[in-house]
Every structure is written in structure tokens, then in C-alpha cells.
Amino acid sequence: MEIRLVEDLLEANNRVAAKLRGLFSEKGILVLNLLSSPGAGKTTLIEKTLQRVQGSAKSAIVVGDVQTSRDKKRFEEAGLDAVQIITKGGCHLTATMVEKALASLDLDGLDILFIENVGNLVCPAGFELGEDMKVVLLSTTEGDDKPGKYPAAFFHAQAMVITKIDLLPWTNFDLGLAKRDARRIHPKLKIFEVSSLKGEGMEDWVNWILQRAEQKRGNRKSVHGRAL
Amino acid sequence: MEIRLVEDLLEANNRVAAKLRGLFSEKGILVLNLLSSPGAGKTTLIEKTLQRVQGSAKSAIVVGDVQTSRDKKRFEEAGLDAVQIITKGGCHLTATMVEKALASLDLDGLDILFIENVGNLVCPAGFELGEDMKVVLLSTTEGDDKPGKYPAAFFHAQAMVITKIDLLPWTNFDLGLAKRDARRIHPKLKIFEVSSLKGEGMEDWVNWILQRAEQKRGNRKSVHGRAL
């Protein structure tokens, strides 16, 4: 009975996710769904990324938390548009939660939407939100053994961002080991190494996103072009 | 329907947990259920704690992971008895999983049992495993805002261990803020500050556990005394 219910929930979620995917394609918005443990640095990475793309792209954030609107407040203090979802105990976002949150955003002219999922390496991996890709964060202070121990997030993500690279000298994190472990699960995983706070590695990551956003906008134009 | 099912699952879990609690009382075993984000340092804390209690108390570990037996291997390399539970995607341990794992352990003469839950600040908080107490870990590299954002774990725990205290100088973690945030949720929370690797703060923590184990053993004796 439990399995059946889980399947029903996933199917219902996928229906809404498909609708969102259509909406994002129509509007030409690149959507990234960020997954990680609590405290791996999702909020800071988004903050610093979107400050760098200001001028080149219009962006917004949907941020999920079990409780509190702290992250929304942080984004707003950084001059960024954010909508907060509070899951009240739920361990992941659902497409329906995202759909409701989008009602508070002006999607026209938007280029990039970051969805910051609940801090959790297990549950969010199985729930599509209509995104172009999942991005999984792994901080150097968490330990290099996490991909193998929590494989689903690394399997479903298209990119992994190794965060807090500035703390590497103070930890026993083995970069090579972490990357091998992740690529064993997902051989084509794109990997970035960054320090959001110190700026190291941010340029590559930001350029990659801007390129993907450009492609997404281009696809929309050609879709519209054919439609006319 | 979803809520009803969750209630059924929790009730079924609680029945098994009650049975385990009885078993642990009868045997006089202190049981600690450790919760935290992935990579907050549960495995290292248990390893270093149990190496310090060797001689004073007999101990064992039940360790839960989504995938891999890496932690069991680590414990065994450190000369400790461990049983691995692999949840195959499940985001928390259940009392039934623990009950099955206990079949591989000799409980007679055991003083302390650590249960290392799946790395997850959300799901494990709601599932009793027959433990004397939950202990929540918060690492300095995760950020001081986590208690408010993931309140359930801090609400249900009797003690919080702030780990990786040696990395404090390299982070912007505010110890006072983290403690206030946790005590707002749980005013009587016992708080320890440790570096498992460097040893700072370990003595207080280990002494506290040994004291609790002594009490638990004493209670068993008095129970047996009355029964005779």
C-alpha cells in the first residue's frame, strides 16, 4: 500500500511538473533545481551567482524551507527577487508548491529561475519540478564519501558544485576521490569547484549558466518563430 | 489519505519502538540516536567517543545509510562493533530496521548503543527507535541558522553537539546565535561544543554519556531487585 501511494504521489507530481516544464519552455526561462545537505551553501551560491549575472540576465528565486523565511530575507537584502515556500515539515518541494509560488513572480522577461530545494540529500532527488536540470552541491566540509552514500541526488543531477573550496586546507576532503565517487554514479556529471564567498571558480560556473540561459532563450525564439 | 497513512506508519513504528525500549531497559543499555545533516560528523564523533569509553563501558553501533557500508567499515577499522543498515533510498531509520539489526549484536553486557541515523535533518526526527534520547549534531561549517530552519530535530533531541569547533575561525558561524536559536525551540537542550578530530570538548561529552550509562545500569539493577 505504501509503494502504491508513493507511485500515485510521484505520478501526480510529474503531471504538474510537465505543465511547469511547458510554461518554462514557452517563456524561455532556464530553471535550476538546487539540491544539497543543509548548510552546503545553496543560498550563498545563488546569491553570489545572481549578483554576477545582473545586467546580463533577469533572474528570480523560489526558495523552500521546512520553517522560517530567513532565506527569502537574505535574498531580498542582496537585492534579489525571491518567493519563499515553507513546507511545514515536508522534506522536499513538490511541483504543486512551486506552481503556487510562481503566482507571485512576473515570469515575462525572466531568464533564469533558481529553485532552492529543502536542505536534504535524500528526498528532493525523486521529485521533478519542471526544471531544466538539477544541480547538487557538495561542500568540502561534508566529506568526500557523500556521493556513494547518497547516490540519488548525484544520479539525477546534471552538475555538481563542490562548494567551500576555500576551506579545503582545513579539512581532510579528497577532491579526486569525491569526483571519482560522483562520476562512478554519473559518468557525464559536469563538475565545478567554487568558493562562493571568496569568488574562486565562480566565473566558470556563472558563464556556464549564462550560456545555458542563452540556449533556452534561443529555443523559445525558434519555437515562437515556427509557430508564427 | 496521505495523512492517514503517515499516522498508520508512525503508529506501527511506535509499537516496535516501545518493544525495543523495554528490551534496552531490561538489559540496562543506554541508547543514543544521532541525527544530523550528511557530513556533520556523526561517524567521527561516535568513533572518537567510543574509543574513549573503552575500558569503562562496552559499546556497539547500529549505523544507517541510504547506500554503502562505508561507515561500518570505518568503525571496524577503529576496532568497534558495528552493524550496518542500508535503507536503499529510505530517508530515516525505522524501529523495525533497528530490531532486525540487533539480531547481529550480543546485547548481554552491553552498556552503550549508538544508533547513527541516515544523514538528514528532516525525516529521522519523527521516528522513535526505542532510544533514551536523540542527540542532534550541528557543524560549525553548516551555518548558525539551522536550528530555526529545521526545528523538529532540535525539538526532539535532548542534547545538541556543535561539531567541527576547530573550524570556527575559518567560518562566519556565530556560536551564541546558534545556541539561542536552538534554545528558542528547546529551552532545556543540553549543548556541547566539540572537535572530534582535535579532541576539544570531548571530555565533557564523554563524561556526560558515561554518567547516563551508569544511571541506566543502576535502574536495571533496581528493576531486577524489585522483581526478585
Side-chain angles (χ1 to χ4, degrees), chain B residues 60-93:
Chain B
I61 307 139
V62 170
V63 52
D65 273 302
V66 173
Q67 282 297 348
T68 80
S69 304
R70 288 177 190 179
D71 284 350
K72 176 180 159 67
K73 213 175 288 171
R74 277 182 60 187
F75 286 129
E76 286 176 346
E77 282 166 8
L80 302 167
D81 272 341
V83 184
Q84 179 85 49
I85 300 173
I86 296 177
T87 67
K88 294 180 185 166
C91 62
H92 61 85
L93 291 180

mmCIF file of all heavy atoms in Angstrom, chain B residues 60-93:
data_model
loop_
_atom_site.group_PDB
_atom_site.id
_atom_site.type_symbol
_atom_site.label_atom_id
_atom_site.label_comp_id
_atom_site.label_asym_id
_atom_site.label_seq_id
_atom_site.Cartn_x
_atom_site.Cartn_y
_atom_site.Cartn_z
ATOM 1 N N ALA B 60 28.460 -0.581 21.282
ATOM 2 C CA ALA B 60 28.273 -1.048 19.907
ATOM 3 C C ALA B 60 27.537 0.027 19.120
ATOM 4 O O ALA B 60 27.026 0.995 19.700
ATOM 5 C CB ALA B 60 27.501 -2.358 19.884
ATOM 6 N N ILE B 61 27.501 -0.157 17.811
ATOM 7 C CA ILE B 61 26.908 0.846 16.930
ATOM 8 C C ILE B 61 25.982 0.178 15.920
ATOM 9 O O ILE B 61 26.334 -0.841 15.334
ATOM 10 C CB ILE B 61 28.013 1.580 16.126
ATOM 11 C CG1 ILE B 61 29.079 2.143 17.067
ATOM 12 C CG2 ILE B 61 27.407 2.692 15.272
ATOM 13 C CD1 ILE B 61 30.487 1.965 16.555
ATOM 14 N N VAL B 62 24.807 0.781 15.726
ATOM 15 C CA VAL B 62 23.961 0.438 14.585
ATOM 16 C C VAL B 62 24.002 1.656 13.679
ATOM 17 O O VAL B 62 23.669 2.767 14.107
ATOM 18 C CB VAL B 62 22.508 0.138 15.028
ATOM 19 C CG1 VAL B 62 21.601 0.037 13.811
ATOM 20 C CG2 VAL B 62 22.453 -1.148 15.837
ATOM 21 N N VAL B 63 24.439 1.473 12.432
ATOM 22 C CA VAL B 63 24.618 2.630 11.560
ATOM 23 C C VAL B 63 23.742 2.513 10.312
ATOM 24 O O VAL B 63 23.732 1.481 9.648
ATOM 25 C CB VAL B 63 26.118 2.839 11.198
ATOM 26 C CG1 VAL B 63 26.756 1.581 10.651
ATOM 27 C CG2 VAL B 63 26.296 3.998 10.231
ATOM 28 N N GLY B 64 22.993 3.577 10.047
ATOM 29 C CA GLY B 64 22.087 3.592 8.900
ATOM 30 C C GLY B 64 22.622 4.447 7.775
ATOM 31 O O GLY B 64 23.116 5.539 8.009
ATOM 32 N N ASP B 65 22.527 3.931 6.557
ATOM 33 C CA ASP B 65 22.890 4.730 5.387
ATOM 34 C C ASP B 65 21.930 4.414 4.257
ATOM 35 O O ASP B 65 21.363 3.326 4.197
ATOM 36 C CB ASP B 65 24.334 4.426 4.939
ATOM 37 C CG ASP B 65 25.340 5.297 5.675
ATOM 38 O OD1 ASP B 65 25.230 6.518 5.586
ATOM 39 O OD2 ASP B 65 26.221 4.724 6.366
ATOM 40 N N VAL B 66 21.782 5.357 3.342
ATOM 41 C CA VAL B 66 20.953 5.138 2.167
ATOM 42 C C VAL B 66 21.588 4.061 1.287
ATOM 43 O O VAL B 66 20.907 3.181 0.768
ATOM 44 C CB VAL B 66 20.792 6.460 1.383
ATOM 45 C CG1 VAL B 66 20.085 6.208 0.066
ATOM 46 C CG2 VAL B 66 20.039 7.487 2.211
ATOM 47 N N GLN B 67 22.899 4.144 1.139
ATOM 48 C CA GLN B 67 23.668 3.165 0.363
ATOM 49 C C GLN B 67 25.065 3.021 0.975
ATOM 50 O O GLN B 67 25.494 3.902 1.709
ATOM 51 C CB GLN B 67 23.823 3.601 -1.103
ATOM 52 C CG GLN B 67 22.599 3.380 -1.970
ATOM 53 C CD GLN B 67 22.197 1.927 -2.129
ATOM 54 O OE1 GLN B 67 22.943 1.023 -1.785
ATOM 55 N NE2 GLN B 67 20.992 1.702 -2.634
ATOM 56 N N THR B 68 25.728 1.968 0.643
ATOM 57 C CA THR B 68 27.117 1.630 1.028
ATOM 58 C C THR B 68 27.284 1.206 2.488
ATOM 59 O O THR B 68 26.477 1.566 3.337
ATOM 60 C CB THR B 68 28.177 2.774 0.781
ATOM 61 O OG1 THR B 68 28.118 3.731 1.839
ATOM 62 C CG2 THR B 68 28.001 3.430 -0.567
ATOM 63 N N SER B 69 28.343 0.428 2.744
ATOM 64 C CA SER B 69 28.690 0.003 4.111
ATOM 65 C C SER B 69 29.946 0.717 4.564
ATOM 66 O O SER B 69 30.719 0.202 5.362
ATOM 67 C CB SER B 69 28.936 -1.511 4.144
ATOM 68 O OG SER B 69 27.831 -2.202 3.660
ATOM 69 N N ARG B 70 30.183 1.920 4.046
ATOM 70 C CA ARG B 70 31.434 2.615 4.352
ATOM 71 C C ARG B 70 31.612 2.898 5.836
ATOM 72 O O ARG B 70 32.715 2.810 6.364
ATOM 73 C CB ARG B 70 31.480 3.952 3.592
ATOM 74 C CG ARG B 70 31.687 3.736 2.119
ATOM 75 C CD ARG B 70 31.674 5.023 1.337
ATOM 76 N NE ARG B 70 31.646 4.684 -0.084
ATOM 77 C CZ ARG B 70 31.608 5.558 -1.052
ATOM 78 N NH1 ARG B 70 31.582 6.847 -0.782
ATOM 79 N NH2 ARG B 70 31.590 5.153 -2.294
ATOM 80 N N ASP B 71 30.496 3.257 6.497
ATOM 81 C CA ASP B 71 30.621 3.628 7.905
ATOM 82 C C ASP B 71 30.926 2.417 8.775
ATOM 83 O O ASP B 71 31.742 2.490 9.690
ATOM 84 C CB ASP B 71 29.359 4.349 8.383
ATOM 85 C CG ASP B 71 29.318 5.783 7.863
ATOM 86 O OD1 ASP B 71 30.339 6.229 7.312
ATOM 87 O OD2 ASP B 71 28.278 6.444 8.014
ATOM 88 N N LYS B 72 30.283 1.290 8.460
ATOM 89 C CA LYS B 72 30.575 0.053 9.196
ATOM 90 C C LYS B 72 32.067 -0.264 9.071
ATOM 91 O O LYS B 72 32.733 -0.604 10.056
ATOM 92 C CB LYS B 72 29.737 -1.099 8.631
ATOM 93 C CG LYS B 72 30.030 -2.461 9.251
ATOM 94 C CD LYS B 72 29.143 -3.516 8.601
ATOM 95 C CE LYS B 72 29.681 -4.934 8.745
ATOM 96 N NZ LYS B 72 29.701 -5.442 10.105
ATOM 97 N N LYS B 73 32.575 -0.128 7.851
ATOM 98 C CA LYS B 73 33.992 -0.400 7.606
ATOM 99 C C LYS B 73 34.870 0.525 8.453
ATOM 100 O O LYS B 73 35.833 0.106 9.076
ATOM 101 C CB LYS B 73 34.286 -0.223 6.103
ATOM 102 C CG LYS B 73 35.361 -1.158 5.586
ATOM 103 C CD LYS B 73 35.552 -1.042 4.067
ATOM 104 C CE LYS B 73 34.385 -1.652 3.278
ATOM 105 N NZ LYS B 73 34.459 -1.368 1.828
ATOM 106 N N ARG B 74 34.487 1.823 8.473
ATOM 107 C CA ARG B 74 35.265 2.790 9.275
ATOM 108 C C ARG B 74 35.269 2.395 10.751
ATOM 109 O O ARG B 74 36.303 2.443 11.415
ATOM 110 C CB ARG B 74 34.675 4.202 9.136
ATOM 111 C CG ARG B 74 35.150 4.925 7.900
ATOM 112 C CD ARG B 74 34.581 6.329 7.812
ATOM 113 N NE ARG B 74 34.930 7.187 8.927
ATOM 114 C CZ ARG B 74 34.437 8.408 9.128
ATOM 115 N NH1 ARG B 74 33.563 8.903 8.270
ATOM 116 N NH2 ARG B 74 34.814 9.139 10.158
ATOM 117 N N PHE B 75 34.100 2.010 11.255
ATOM 118 C CA PHE B 75 34.015 1.641 12.671
ATOM 119 C C PHE B 75 34.868 0.405 12.950
ATOM 120 O O PHE B 75 35.573 0.337 13.951
ATOM 121 C CB PHE B 75 32.557 1.372 13.075
ATOM 122 C CG PHE B 75 31.728 2.620 13.204
ATOM 123 C CD1 PHE B 75 30.501 2.733 12.569
ATOM 124 C CD2 PHE B 75 32.172 3.683 13.993
ATOM 125 C CE1 PHE B 75 29.734 3.888 12.700
ATOM 126 C CE2 PHE B 75 31.402 4.842 14.129
ATOM 127 C CZ PHE B 75 30.184 4.941 13.479
ATOM 128 N N GLU B 76 34.806 -0.557 12.058
ATOM 129 C CA GLU B 76 35.555 -1.787 12.283
ATOM 130 C C GLU B 76 37.058 -1.521 12.250
ATOM 131 O O GLU B 76 37.811 -2.085 13.046
ATOM 132 C CB GLU B 76 35.140 -2.849 11.271
ATOM 133 C CG GLU B 76 33.762 -3.400 11.635
ATOM 134 C CD GLU B 76 33.221 -4.385 10.634
ATOM 135 O OE1 GLU B 76 33.773 -4.465 9.507
ATOM 136 O OE2 GLU B 76 32.238 -5.072 10.965
ATOM 137 N N GLU B 77 37.469 -0.648 11.345
ATOM 138 C CA GLU B 77 38.889 -0.281 11.293
ATOM 139 C C GLU B 77 39.336 0.395 12.587
ATOM 140 O O GLU B 77 40.502 0.354 12.961
ATOM 141 C CB GLU B 77 39.156 0.639 10.089
ATOM 142 C CG GLU B 77 39.224 -0.148 8.778
ATOM 143 C CD GLU B 77 39.135 0.735 7.535
ATOM 144 O OE1 GLU B 77 39.177 1.978 7.686
ATOM 145 O OE2 GLU B 77 39.020 0.184 6.435
ATOM 146 N N ALA B 78 38.359 1.054 13.268
ATOM 147 C CA ALA B 78 38.679 1.707 14.539
ATOM 148 C C ALA B 78 38.522 0.737 15.715
ATOM 149 O O ALA B 78 38.582 1.140 16.875
ATOM 150 C CB ALA B 78 37.780 2.929 14.734
ATOM 151 N N GLY B 79 38.274 -0.543 15.404
ATOM 152 C CA GLY B 79 38.183 -1.556 16.455
ATOM 153 C C GLY B 79 36.846 -1.568 17.173
ATOM 154 O O GLY B 79 36.747 -2.011 18.317
ATOM 155 N N LEU B 80 35.787 -1.099 16.526
ATOM 156 C CA LEU B 80 34.475 -1.013 17.171
ATOM 157 C C LEU B 80 33.485 -1.974 16.509
ATOM 158 O O LEU B 80 33.575 -2.242 15.312
ATOM 159 C CB LEU B 80 33.947 0.425 17.080
ATOM 160 C CG LEU B 80 34.864 1.504 17.716
ATOM 161 C CD1 LEU B 80 34.437 2.898 17.298
ATOM 162 C CD2 LEU B 80 34.874 1.363 19.245
ATOM 163 N N ASP B 81 32.524 -2.472 17.309
ATOM 164 C CA ASP B 81 31.485 -3.380 16.808
ATOM 165 C C ASP B 81 30.378 -2.591 16.133
ATOM 166 O O ASP B 81 29.734 -1.756 16.778
ATOM 167 C CB ASP B 81 30.842 -4.131 17.991
ATOM 168 C CG ASP B 81 31.597 -5.396 18.306
ATOM 169 O OD1 ASP B 81 32.354 -5.867 17.434
ATOM 170 O OD2 ASP B 81 31.434 -5.898 19.437
ATOM 171 N N ALA B 82 30.088 -2.878 14.883
ATOM 172 C CA ALA B 82 29.042 -2.128 14.194
ATOM 173 C C ALA B 82 28.207 -3.031 13.299
ATOM 174 O O ALA B 82 28.714 -3.988 12.722
ATOM 175 C CB ALA B 82 29.659 -1.015 13.360
ATOM 176 N N VAL B 83 26.906 -2.709 13.217
ATOM 177 C CA VAL B 83 26.001 -3.382 12.288
ATOM 178 C C VAL B 83 25.485 -2.319 11.323
ATOM 179 O O VAL B 83 25.075 -1.236 11.751
ATOM 180 C CB VAL B 83 24.791 -3.989 13.027
ATOM 181 C CG1 VAL B 83 23.923 -4.778 12.051
ATOM 182 C CG2 VAL B 83 25.236 -4.850 14.182
ATOM 183 N N GLN B 84 25.522 -2.607 10.030
ATOM 184 C CA GLN B 84 25.084 -1.628 9.026
ATOM 185 C C GLN B 84 23.649 -1.905 8.592
ATOM 186 O O GLN B 84 23.289 -3.037 8.298
ATOM 187 C CB GLN B 84 26.005 -1.696 7.802
ATOM 188 C CG GLN B 84 25.651 -0.746 6.663
ATOM 189 C CD GLN B 84 26.240 0.644 6.852
ATOM 190 O OE1 GLN B 84 27.417 0.796 7.139
ATOM 191 N NE2 GLN B 84 25.407 1.671 6.671
ATOM 192 N N ILE B 85 22.842 -0.862 8.551
ATOM 193 C CA ILE B 85 21.521 -0.921 7.911
ATOM 194 C C ILE B 85 21.609 -0.081 6.638
ATOM 195 O O ILE B 85 22.038 1.066 6.690
ATOM 196 C CB ILE B 85 20.416 -0.323 8.809
ATOM 197 C CG1 ILE B 85 20.321 -1.079 10.138
ATOM 198 C CG2 ILE B 85 19.077 -0.323 8.077
ATOM 199 C CD1 ILE B 85 19.373 -0.427 11.146
ATOM 200 N N ILE B 86 21.222 -0.669 5.503
ATOM 201 C CA ILE B 86 21.151 0.119 4.261
ATOM 202 C C ILE B 86 19.678 0.319 3.940
ATOM 203 O O ILE B 86 18.935 -0.645 3.775
ATOM 204 C CB ILE B 86 21.891 -0.595 3.115
ATOM 205 C CG1 ILE B 86 23.396 -0.679 3.462
ATOM 206 C CG2 ILE B 86 21.713 0.144 1.790
ATOM 207 C CD1 ILE B 86 24.232 -1.435 2.451
ATOM 208 N N THR B 87 19.239 1.567 3.898
ATOM 209 C CA THR B 87 17.804 1.836 3.743
ATOM 210 C C THR B 87 17.363 1.817 2.287
ATOM 211 O O THR B 87 16.174 1.919 2.006
ATOM 212 C CB THR B 87 17.432 3.211 4.345
ATOM 213 O OG1 THR B 87 18.056 4.240 3.565
ATOM 214 C CG2 THR B 87 17.861 3.345 5.799
ATOM 215 N N LYS B 88 18.317 1.709 1.346
ATOM 216 C CA LYS B 88 18.010 1.685 -0.103
ATOM 217 C C LYS B 88 17.088 2.819 -0.517
ATOM 218 O O LYS B 88 16.036 2.584 -1.127
ATOM 219 C CB LYS B 88 17.377 0.342 -0.479
ATOM 220 C CG LYS B 88 18.337 -0.820 -0.319
ATOM 221 C CD LYS B 88 17.680 -2.136 -0.702
ATOM 222 C CE LYS B 88 18.618 -3.300 -0.426
ATOM 223 N NZ LYS B 88 17.938 -4.585 -0.468
ATOM 224 N N GLY B 89 17.451 4.027 -0.163
ATOM 225 C CA GLY B 89 16.673 5.197 -0.570
ATOM 226 C C GLY B 89 15.858 5.789 0.561
ATOM 227 O O GLY B 89 15.476 6.948 0.504
ATOM 228 N N GLY B 90 15.562 4.993 1.572
ATOM 229 C CA GLY B 90 14.765 5.493 2.698
ATOM 230 C C GLY B 90 15.502 6.601 3.437
ATOM 231 O O GLY B 90 16.712 6.504 3.642
ATOM 232 N N CYS B 91 14.775 7.643 3.859
ATOM 233 C CA CYS B 91 15.428 8.848 4.383
ATOM 234 C C CYS B 91 15.559 8.836 5.898
ATOM 235 O O CYS B 91 15.950 9.838 6.489
ATOM 236 C CB CYS B 91 14.700 10.101 3.902
ATOM 237 S SG CYS B 91 12.994 10.230 4.432
ATOM 238 N N HIS B 92 15.240 7.725 6.547
ATOM 239 C CA HIS B 92 15.383 7.630 8.015
ATOM 240 C C HIS B 92 15.362 6.163 8.409
ATOM 241 O O HIS B 92 14.902 5.318 7.628
ATOM 242 C CB HIS B 92 14.234 8.364 8.709
ATOM 243 C CG HIS B 92 12.889 7.779 8.351
ATOM 244 N ND1 HIS B 92 12.348 6.694 9.009
ATOM 245 C CD2 HIS B 92 12.008 8.103 7.373
ATOM 246 C CE1 HIS B 92 11.180 6.391 8.459
ATOM 247 N NE2 HIS B 92 10.959 7.225 7.458
ATOM 248 N N LEU B 93 15.830 5.861 9.609
ATOM 249 C CA LEU B 93 15.712 4.504 10.142
ATOM 250 C C LEU B 93 14.326 4.322 10.749
ATOM 251 O O LEU B 93 13.700 5.287 11.188
ATOM 252 C CB LEU B 93 16.763 4.273 11.224
ATOM 253 C CG LEU B 93 18.217 4.209 10.755
ATOM 254 C CD1 LEU B 93 19.152 3.965 11.944
ATOM 255 C CD2 LEU B 93 18.413 3.106 9.715
#
